[in-house]
């Protein structure tokens, strides 16, 4: 199973096994990773699943769609080049080892 | 499990000092969106005692919104619905007891009696019992096979199975659930049989309780285009059955619709019986204050089951939304650990149907004028527009269609004391984001 690492704003790291077919958001929420509220459960309706993707991984993940890109403009935390909504990142075998950082503020 | 058996209290450095209340722990009744959030937030805020989360459904907590959307359409499978994992409950020290029904509250002894005859002592009791689907009125008699409602996973499994072979579907009720069901069944998977879907709504328009006439009109047009036959201003008059199975539905406008599946989506009834029997005030919902407290200092409530004061509405209201369930649950958890975090969140809601993303923020009550903003580039189910509803000059509610980013913006604008005026909203050259700065 692919492993994803979540880094908290204070630097704490947490590795989680994410089943293929789930999302970076679901793997976090189901495993008690703090700081990903995901209020809408992945319906692309809340922007409280914001993460920063490790720069080394940016071009290995399909880019944000139009709605996601628009929503990223309104996130509560700092907006960076590497900002993504984690409910829109599908887990597949190629994502094994992915590192994402959690913003200080979420919605 | 033996009566009163719970986990050993955990102590966290920043939590409140354990006292008698904490020793007996927190018991949460109803293991769905509000209950899971409440238990999780209590732990996150440092609650040191045992937490027991009981729910009468046999399944582990799952997400409800997809039941009428991806799950019914066959795009979402059961494992995808999970709200949390077993590891989550183990790690947070929350004892989850599915398949466990609360029967009565003994407030004097601070005990929750369970349907299996045992009881749980509590320091704090949180009621997150939600709501159940309103059945057809009793005057229709015992419903025959083929008449279904949709509230929980068991309902959704039954409905999915029945829909697989149904050819003539009637949906009763033009609210969000009825419309999402009609949408899911009107766009069948490639290998399923051709279906006729008819929706009957007693009121003269769709979404009479929850959306503006303008939005309802757009939704109606999209449903008609998808092949859903709409009968507005018509209720079900009678149900015909043959050999114990549904055969046809007769509407008050005289139409007779042959039917092998009738989905009843006529709203919900809040589950207040437990609270009522314990003598707690109920009023189409368990009455709580802005801290999610009932009149009993040891009992709180959150989610679809509560009637609560809304800062935004200036009235006592009951909401049926994920946003409300989660925000109010966090408020209740904060109250339990002795932190004040009043429930003053702005209401918001979403619905996905026929490829459209509908979102609303704020409340429509009392609004008297509407500004429509268009974003060019799509039509039909891809049309993008928003409806900005004002009471006088004050922005009160915003509905967006396929504009999730504008929905996010509108939530921030609705929270401002000085939001946009109708003239600003109507001016395509005015950048609404400017109002957020400064
Ligand atoms: C099909 C469907 C689609 C929806 N779509 C959306 C959407 O797109 N967006 C949105 O914002 N909202 C949506 N909603 C509404 C949303 O699901 C509810 O607002 C939310 O589930 C409320 O959460 P709750 O925990 O308060 O109540 P519930 O989810 O109703 O949970 C209450 C739980 O308590 C249990 N219970 C009750 N009494 C007892 C007892 N005595 N002992 C033990 N357990 C008990 C119940 O069985 C249930 O499991 C939808 C609802 C449905 C049914
Ligand atoms: S979980 Fe709501 S947008 Fe990602």
């Amino acid at each position: 199973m692919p492993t994803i690492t979540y880094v908290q704003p204070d630097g704490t790291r947490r590795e989680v096994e994410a089943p293929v077919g789930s999302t970076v958001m679901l793997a976090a929420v189901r495993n008690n990773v703090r700081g990903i509220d995901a209020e809408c459960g992945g319906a692309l309706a809340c922007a409280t699943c914001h993460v920063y993707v490790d720069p080394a991984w940016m071009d290995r993940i399909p880019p944000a769609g139009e709605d996601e890109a628009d929503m990223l403009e309104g996130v509560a935390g700092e907006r960076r080049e590497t900002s993504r909504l984690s409910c829109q990142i599908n887990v597949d075998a190629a994502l094994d080892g992915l590192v994402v950082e959690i913003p200080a503020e979420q919605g | 499990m033996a009566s009163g058996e719970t986990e050993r209290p955990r102590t966290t450095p920043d939590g409140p000092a354990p006292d008698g209340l904490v020793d007996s722990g927190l018991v949460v009744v109803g293991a769905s969106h509000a209950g899971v959030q409440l238990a999780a937030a209590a732990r996150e805020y440092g609650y040191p005692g045992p937490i027991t989360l009981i729910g009468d459904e046999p399944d582990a907590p799952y997400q409800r919104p997809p039941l009428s959307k991806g799950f019914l359409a066959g795009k979402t499978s059961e494992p995808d619905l999970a709200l949390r994992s077993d590891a989550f409950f183990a790690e947070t020290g929350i004892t989850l007891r599915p398949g466990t029904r609360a029967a009565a509250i003994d407030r004097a002894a601070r005990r929750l009696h369970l349907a299996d005859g045992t009881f749980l002592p509590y320091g704090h009791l949180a009621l997150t019992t939600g709501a159940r689907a309103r059945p057809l009125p009793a005057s229709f008699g015992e419903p025959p096979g083929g008449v279904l409602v949709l509230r929980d996973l068991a309902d959704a499994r039954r409905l999915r199975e029945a829909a697989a072979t149904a050819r003539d579907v009637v949906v009763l009720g033009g609210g969000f659930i009825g419309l999402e069901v009609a949408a899911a069944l009107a766009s069948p998977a490639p290998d399923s049989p051709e279906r006729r879907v008819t929706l009957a709504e007693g009121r003269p328009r769709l979404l009479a309780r929850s959306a503006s006439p303008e939005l309802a009109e757009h939704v109606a047009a999209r449903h008609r285009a998808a092949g859903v036959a709409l009968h507005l201003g018509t209720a079900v008059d009678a149900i015909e059955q043959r050999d114990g199975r549904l055969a046809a539905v007769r509407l008050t406008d005289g139409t007779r619709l042959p039917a092998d599946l009738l989905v009843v989506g006529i709203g919900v009834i809040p589950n207040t019986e437990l609270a009522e029997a314990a003598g707690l005030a109920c009023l189409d919902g368990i009455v709580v204050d802005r801290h999610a407290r009932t009149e009993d200092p040891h009992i709180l409530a959150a989610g679809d089951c509560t009637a609560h004061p809304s800062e935004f509405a200036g009235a006592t209201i009951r909401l049926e939304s994920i946003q409300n369930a989660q925000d109010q649950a966090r408020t209740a958890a904060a109250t339990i650990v002795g932190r004040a975090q009043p429930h003053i969140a702005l209401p918001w809601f979403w619905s996905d149907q026929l490829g459209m993303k509908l979102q609303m923020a704020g409340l429509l009550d009392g609004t008297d004028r509407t500004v429509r903003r268009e974003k060019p580039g799509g039509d039909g189910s891809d049309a993008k527009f928003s409806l900005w509803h004002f009471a006088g000059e004050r922005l009160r509610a915003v509905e967006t269609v396929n504009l999730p980013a504008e929905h996010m913006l509108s939530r921030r604008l609705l929270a401002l004391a000085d939001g946009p005026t109708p003239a600003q909203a109507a001016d395509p050259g005015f950048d609404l984001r400017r109002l957020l700065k400064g």
Side-chain angles (χ1 to χ4, degrees), chain A residues 25 38-49 71 85-88:
Chain A
M25 177 280 282
E39 286 172 354
C40 76
L44 197 50
C46 74
T48 61
C49 61
M71 282 177 77
L85 295 181
S86 56
C87 69
Q88 302 301 306

Side-chain angles (χ1 to χ4, degrees), chain A residues 14 30 32 39 43 46 70, chain B residues 80 82 85 88 91 330 357:
Chain A
R14 171 77 189 275
R30 290 182 183 153
N32 196 29
E39 286 172 354
C46 74
D70 283 352
Chain B
D80 296 336
S85 64
F88 174 89
E91 187 177 311
R330 275 193 279 262
K357 178 171 291 299

Side-chain angles (χ1 to χ4, degrees), chain A:
Chain A
M1 224 185 261
T3 300
I4 298 174
T5 301
Y6 299 84
V7 185
Q8 292 292 341
D10 68 2
T12 320
R13 296 168 81 86
R14 171 77 189 275
E15 269 186 28
V16 161
E17 300 218 316
V20 169
S22 69
T23 64
V24 172
M25 177 280 282
L26 283 172
V29 168
R30 290 182 183 153
N31 290 288
N32 196 29
V33 173
R34 299 278 158 83
I36 296 186
D37 296 346
E39 286 172 354
C40 76
L44 197 50
C46 74
T48 61
C49 61
H50 180 201
V51 296
Y52 306 119
V53 172
D54 187 286
W57 283 86
M58 274 311 272
D59 51 4
R60 287 198 256 170
I61 296 175
E66 186 190 335
D67 284 341
E68 183 190 340
D70 283 352
M71 282 177 77
L72 283 168
E73 297 307 321
V75 288
E78 181 200 348
R79 167 85 165 94
R80 297 187 199 155
E81 284 286 305
T82 55
S83 286
R84 289 295 305 266
L85 295 181
S86 56
C87 69
Q88 302 301 306
I89 308 178
N90 295 313
V91 174
D92 60 28
L95 286 199
D96 188 22
L98 174 70
V99 179
V100 299
E101 202 183 315
I102 292 169
E105 215 188 326
Q106 202 66 264

Side-chain angles (χ1 to χ4, degrees), chain B residues 4-28:
Chain B
E5 186 180 309
T6 42
E7 287 231 333
R8 252 181 316 112
R10 280 189 1 163
T11 30
T12 51
D14 54 344
D19 55 21
L21 283 184
V22 163
D23 287 344
S24 327
L26 166 62
V27 175
V28 184

Side-chain angles (χ1 to χ4, degrees), chain B residues 68-94:
Chain B
S68 50
K69 306 178 181 77
F71 184 77
L72 189 54
K75 292 178 193 141
T76 306
S77 65
E78 284 196 21
D80 296 336
L81 297 176
L83 205 47
R84 294 292 197 277
S85 64
D86 293 347
F88 174 89
F89 293 106
E91 187 177 311
T92 50
I94 295 169

Side-chain angles (χ1 to χ4, degrees), chain B residues 408-432:
Chain B
M408 297 295 300
L409 172 64
S410 77
R411 275 162 52 185
R412 296 167 71 191
L413 293 170
L414 280 159
L416 296 178
D418 261 325
T421 62
Q424 287 168 335
D427 178 359
F430 184 82
D431 184 359
L432 291 168

Side-chain angles (χ1 to χ4, degrees), chain B residues 72-73 159 163-164 169 171 180-188 195 197 261 263:
Chain B
L72 189 54
L159 180 53
V169 180
V171 177
E180 288 180 357
V181 168
L185 298 186
S187 15
R195 286 188 207 114
V197 180
L261 174 59
V263 186

